[in-house]
Amino acid sequence: PLLPTSLSSVSLRHADLLVLVASIGFVQETVLKTIYVVGTYGSQSTIPNLMPFIIFLTCPLIVGWVDLDIWLSMPRTSLHLCAALFVDMTSELMMAHITRQSYSYKRWLLLPLIGLTTSVMLGWVRNGRATQDFLICYASSTIAFLGLKVAIVIHECCAVLNIWCFDITTPRIQNRNRHDKMT
């Protein structure tokens, strides 16, 4: 047999194989890109910028390792939370790159995740109604903040370019005397 005797009784579904292959590819890509970026730009400027992503990758893994039921009890909420945190970090990184500004590695949205991870590791928190309510509040507030942030960025970009959001052919009238109209 191809598999060891201890694994021969375990059935492997197609979805499990897909997750396994995707996980291996994800880890390989992350490690190779990190080595390339650190080698190109040096560790002094690279490691602080990678810290939010490292925290984002390790904290859910630690929570899942200690108490997997926290994530499995609310899979959609957990996925929405992780997606919103990832979108926040990557959109901030893209905006810093486009505007040629430095990337702020301080991600305040990760603090509740760090707190949850610490509490789970110390045994203070287990899966239950309070943890599920915390995840719902955390995901909801993160998504609301992200929506507000995206709306503000879109508004500022449209104001700078003097265009409408979904209509770039209609001219936008400059409002230079806005202060005079408000008084």
Side-chain angles (χ1 to χ4, degrees), residues 91-164:
S91 63
E92 191 70 28
L93 182 64
M94 288 188 289
M95 286 302 294
H97 181 70
I98 290 170
T99 59
R100 292 188 174 104
Q101 295 178 352
S102 63
Y103 175 69
S104 175
Y105 60 89
K106 296 175 186 141
R107 304 263 53 96
W108 300 110
L109 287 178
L110 289 177
L111 287 180
L113 182 63
I114 294 169
L116 175 68
T117 304
T118 305
S119 299
V120 168
M121 284 175 51
L122 295 175
W124 297 344
V125 172
R126 290 283 175 217
N127 184 32
R129 183 68 186 171
T131 306
Q132 292 173 358
D133 290 344
F134 171 77
L135 283 177
I136 289 172
C137 291
Y138 183 27
S140 301
S141 60
T142 301
I143 291 168
F145 173 76
L146 188 60
L148 177 67
K149 180 178 166 181
V150 168
I152 290 171
V153 167
I154 289 173
H155 175 73
E156 288 179 355
C157 289
C158 290
V160 167
L161 297 173
N162 199 25
I163 60 172
W164 296 104

Side-chain angles (χ1 to χ4, degrees), residues 24-44:
I24 291 170
F26 173 74
V27 168
Q28 176 190 356
E29 184 68 19
T30 303
V31 169
L32 291 178
K33 287 291 184 189
T34 302
I35 291 170
Y36 172 74
V37 170
V38 168
T40 304
Y41 298 104
S43 62
Q44 292 289 353

